[in-house]
Amino acid sequence: VMVKVGQGDAIVVVGEKITQSQFVLLDHFRLSRREFNWLGFLGFSGAITMGVLFIRVVEGRFHLRLRRRDHVLLLLLTLSTPLLVRFGLPSTNILAVGLLSGSFYGTVISLAITGLLMVILPFGMEIDMGYLFSSAIGGLLGGALAGRMRSREELASLGGVLSLVQGGVYLVINATFSAAAGPVWFTLVTTAGLQSLVGLSWSIVALGLSPYLEHLFDLVTPIRLAELANPNRPLLKRMATEAPGTFQHTLFVANL
């Protein structure tokens, strides 16, 4: 794109947000005065460090024994949120992070992860607070309840309820802090409905990823144990056929 700029032309007005094209022009004429924000970098690095230390304290306080692969999985789940925000998505995946971490590691770790994301994200990135808080509330509730689910069906039902919660929280936040009325309500309700669909989409993504992550990171969750106890699995069917006495004895011991 070629742009002609004459002497004395105003590239940007004071107080105006600089666009990408304006910044390119300023940089071309060496007026951008760019420099590294060391204070912001150190502050954000300090916040991330405090967040990691907080997770370690939570592990020790509640006697949670996480393996190295568990820390890797939690790191990947946590990093996925700022990456998606960086791509400019109209919402966050905190609901999916809450569901997955709660299902894998229980309520405490999930609440700590989702709570830290809700606190740290606004300091480092530009994100709409309505989107952030609505998805964060859904993620916190998902993290608190996902560990109690005993089947994929229950987890799917929980995801549906959380998507409605996310849409409802978004509607309440925007209706409370918006001074407009009348036709704007239609827009608010429509956007809240879209947020519910986004929350439902993330719950479906979490539900679809959970079995793969369980096998990849060797996670033993209540849902996976229930699936392994299915007598129609090949190994249990073979045991019942070739060693029926041992199979019945195993069932009795397991029930005890």
Side-chain angles (χ1 to χ4, degrees):
V1 177
M2 303 300 295
V3 179
K4 293 183 179 181
V5 180
Q7 185 175 2
D9 291 347
I11 297 176
V12 64
V13 181
V14 176
E16 200 178 64
K17 186 175 180 179
I18 299 176
T19 63
Q20 179 65 27
S21 57
Q22 291 170 336
F23 179 79
V24 170
L25 288 174
L26 292 173
D27 204 42
H28 174 76
F29 294 113
R30 298 181 181 179
L31 298 173
S32 60
R33 300 177 184 176
R34 69 168 81 195
E35 61 181 14
F36 193 81
N37 186 1
W38 285 104
L39 183 61
F41 174 75
L42 293 176
F44 192 66
S45 299
I48 297 298
T49 303
M50 293 298 294
V52 173
L53 292 177
F54 175 72
I55 296 297
R56 298 295 294 181
V57 170
V58 169
E59 288 183 39
R61 177 66 178 81
F62 292 91
H63 308 287
L64 303 174
R65 297 182 179 180
L66 299 183
R67 304 160 299 175
R68 182 174 299 177
R69 67 185 69 179
D70 298 326
H71 289 129
V72 172
L73 177 56
L74 288 174
L75 178 64
L76 292 176
L77 291 175
T78 305
L79 289 178
S80 66
T81 302
L83 286 176
L84 292 174
V85 173
R86 189 74 180 95
F87 290 148
L89 293 182
S91 183
T92 67
N93 67 331
I94 299 182
L95 189 148
V97 173
L99 281 175
L100 290 173
S101 57
S103 176
F104 295 160
Y105 303 112
T107 302
V108 176
I109 288 294
S110 181
L111 292 179
I113 292 293
T114 52
L116 284 174
L117 285 174
M118 183 176 63
V119 172
I120 292 178
L121 277 179
F123 290 100
M125 314 192 79
E126 292 184 5
I127 181 172
D128 184 271
M129 300 306 292
Y131 294 146
L132 175 63
F133 280 107
S134 60
S135 59
I137 294 298
L140 290 171
L141 289 176
L145 300 175
R148 304 176 185 178
M149 303 295 103
R150 292 296 181 266
S151 66
R152 307 284 177 193
E153 291 79 9
E154 292 181 357
L155 196 62
S157 300
L158 177 61
V161 173
L162 293 178
S163 64
L164 295 177
V165 171
Q166 179 170 326
V169 171
Y170 181 84
L171 178 62
V172 170
I173 291 176
N174 283 272
T176 302
F177 294 99
S178 176
V184 179
W185 274 101
F186 176 77
T187 305
L188 288 178
V189 173
T190 303
T191 309
L194 291 176
Q195 279 300 301
S196 295
L197 292 177
V198 169
L200 182 62
S201 300
W202 281 120
S203 64
I204 294 174
V205 170
L207 188 65
L209 286 177
S210 59
Y212 298 101
L213 294 177
E214 288 174 4
H215 285 82
L216 182 62
F217 291 91
D218 193 23
L219 300 172
V220 181
T221 63
I223 294 178
R224 188 180 180 193
L225 288 176
E227 291 176 348
L228 290 175
N230 186 353
N232 290 320
R233 296 188 69 85
L235 187 60
L236 291 181
K237 289 178 68 175
R238 180 184 172 191
M239 185 179 183
T241 303
E242 299 182 8
T246 303
F247 178 75
Q248 293 298 327
H249 178 265
T250 303
L251 291 180
F252 290 148
V253 172
N255 289 328
L256 290 175

